[in-house]
Amino acid sequence: MCFSHIHDDRKLYIVYMGAIPRKDNYSPTSHHLNILQKIADSENANQFLARSYKRSFNGFAAWLTDKERQNMADLEEVVSIIPNVNLKPRTTESWDFLGFPENVNRFLLAETTITIGVLDFGIWPESDSFSDKGLSPPPEYFRDACRGGTDFICNNKIVGARYYNSSTTARDQNGHGTHTASIAAGNAVPGVTFDSIQGTARGGVPSARIAAYRICGEKECPTADMLAGFDDAIADGVDIITISIGYDDPLDFVDDAIALGSFHALKKDVLTVHCAGNGGPDVKTMESFAPWLLTVGATGTRRNFVDPVTLGDGRKLTNRMGASRRSRSGPVRVGSVQIESVWFGQFGSVPVGSVWFETGWFDSICNRSVRTEPNPSERRGVAINTFETTASVPLAYGAGNPNCEDNDRRVCKPQCLDETLRGKIVMCDQPPSYDDLNRVGAAGLALLVPTNDTSHVSGLPEADFTGSGYALLQEYAATQDPRITIEKSSTVVDEASPYVASFSSRGPNSFMPYIMKPDVVAPGRHILAAWPPNIPPTSTGSDKRSVNYNIMSGTSMATPHVAGAAAYVLSFNPQWSPSAIKSALMTTEFAYGSGLIDPVKAIDPGLVYDNNYADHVKLLCVYYNDRKKVRLITGEPNPCSIEFLSPLNYNYPIIAQAIDVSKSTAIDLSFRRVLKNVEFNASMYTAKVDADPHVKIQVTPDSFVFEKVRDTRLFTVRVTGIYPSDALLLSSTLVWSDGTHSVRTPIVIYKS
């Protein structure tokens, strides 16, 4: 931030004050300065004010000492003091993979009225993905939202652009923002190529508009700027917000800039789509918990990459060489649901066969039709290597600077790489810097990676291996004059897809055990999308290549897929609430509830689980049990005087609860839900339950008739039984069907 030189003893904090007070002549900025002058005891307190949040909610960012921060927290009008930290990014064919072809039925007139706000690293406006050819002028309310800097020009596609203290332009200087924006709403651009890949690159809603809010510098994203982006995006009038940025660790709502910003967006009927994070495969790595957020995990598509590798003795490490010796395959039963073809092999250094229910079980909740691991293929080289074949090049392992320890040379620490590696393929047990390898003239890289389901664009000839594949290389490297040939990458069909990507963060919810996350999954592996041509595809200094489209992986890429799908649903149903759109995407996926999205089905779900703003306020009242805090957040004079809400009755499209089996193994839980009819025809729905054998599930009533659109019907679900000692979860499914529509609701009881 540009004010950091003021005082070394001050740090930047966000002073969150909730909703803007409904008072005549109230000036947020004046109020903020008055507070600062009182707390800082200085007539020049304005020098400590970094930013006022005054368009969509109330608060400010300021440079404070520790004592001032403590005194500020004691003020009646302050909800929370949030440290400014740097958040991180969670980094064509994918839409077809979702059953969403280029010629899908569209309501183009409505699509052109939708604006997606992208809070990210900015955007590259000259990309063909953002051409405004054939688009009408932007909505009137966005005419004053283009403030992208002197080198930035908006058009009828990019209708808004802003930047904040961490940058001086809305122009993307990282690549991440351009990539995510084009996935959500980029034009259909035919003839796009990335090495051997070619085809049409397109976003989910090519006729929709984009407003780009550059909340990040070149690498990281301050939370003060994140809230500023929310403040502007809500006031500018965006319809959907997509965020592919996240915290390293989950935070309570009042300390989480994304949860707070999205709550105020919800009040304006703006849905926020957020990434689950890239902390997988470990459990409890989810960073997006707020029930009003649409949280997205990542799957693959049918595209995968292989790097054919030949050793000097003629052995080839190319295609699938079979599962590891610890592997076995076959159907696995999770509750009453059978997961086909889950592979039990090495999961990095952890044998999945012995801990699968510790690392993979929440995928079965979030997406019971999605496998958690592909065939390990451990001897296959995986990377996206666009370089020409390196024929019979010397292989070096543990070589380099003789003054380094053996282990330091094997992990390729920078100081251990020297000129003796020139012209050789270097084996590394940990990811090295491409710049360091190029500095010493290495011919290529053979890298040990924890999982092989995701490839990355390489900065020099490279092949990556897990498990026995890398062990084979280690043995071969110890022979006399080892040599290796790494061929250019080729694409293969990933027959195991779809499965949840190993990097995709897992649940359960650390704060609300009755809210299961992530909500849905979408393609996030090997996604080809727009890229600034002045930034190399690996973003390293030694990489001199220029591309207009690049391949990235992460929940960052899955999130804009869902934002585009949400915009598509909104274009057909402009009166729907954010909760209705979310429900439609969660209950109409390909096979089992809350899994891989199906945008075409989601425009006509039949029924939805709807929530309004007051429902979310009720939940906050129960969660915090602090009337003052909720009053400040909402701006309502007495928000917790409304009907008490049991958390189990919060109208979420997933029914879930944790059980403390150390106290009792008896299960007797009741949940209440309300379904709203979104069809114009009268219809009769009947309930069908596929229950885990350890529980009995009773739905009351088990059928009902909807006579007209917007009719609502209440039902209860009672789950009884005894929790078995050897189970981590009990997974069941409730399906409401009228013969045409199937509204799927997972029912999950799990061990806390």
Side-chain angles (χ1 to χ4, degrees), residues 580-711:
I581 296 171
K582 179 176 176 179
S583 172
L585 289 167
M586 291 176 67
T587 61
T588 59
E589 48 61 66
F590 277 108
Y592 295 95
S594 301
L596 187 65
I597 58 169
D598 188 336
V600 175
K601 283 186 180 179
I603 66 173
D604 181 24
L607 307 173
V608 296
Y609 293 94
D610 205 3
N611 282 303
N612 57 31
Y613 177 72
D615 294 323
H616 292 92
V617 174
K618 291 179 187 178
L619 190 63
L620 284 181
C621 290
V622 174
Y623 178 74
Y624 282 117
N625 194 26
D626 185 333
R627 292 173 180 266
K628 173 201 164 189
K629 181 174 288 187
V630 179
R631 175 174 55 81
L632 289 172
I633 293 172
T634 63
E636 304 293 335
N638 196 10
C640 296
S641 63
I642 52 184
E643 177 189 359
F644 176 79
L645 172 74
S646 166
L648 299 187
N649 295 335
Y650 177 72
N651 205 36
Y652 212 67
I654 301 176
I655 294 173
Q657 179 60 10
I659 296 291
D660 186 352
V661 294
S662 66
K663 296 180 179 178
S664 175
T665 58
I667 302 170
D668 191 350
L669 298 167
S670 291
F671 305 85
R672 187 180 68 195
R673 292 292 187 272
V674 177
L675 283 167
K676 176 189 283 188
N677 182 35
V678 292
E679 290 292 306
F680 286 92
N681 300 323
S683 57
M684 179 176 178
Y685 280 80
T686 303
K688 180 181 178 181
V689 176
D690 182 8
D692 184 283
H694 297 95
V695 296
K696 178 182 178 181
I697 297 178
Q698 181 179 4
V699 181
T700 307
D702 60 3
S703 65
F704 34 53
V705 174
F706 291 93
E707 297 176 351
K708 60 183 183 297
V709 69
R710 290 188 290 276
D711 268 359

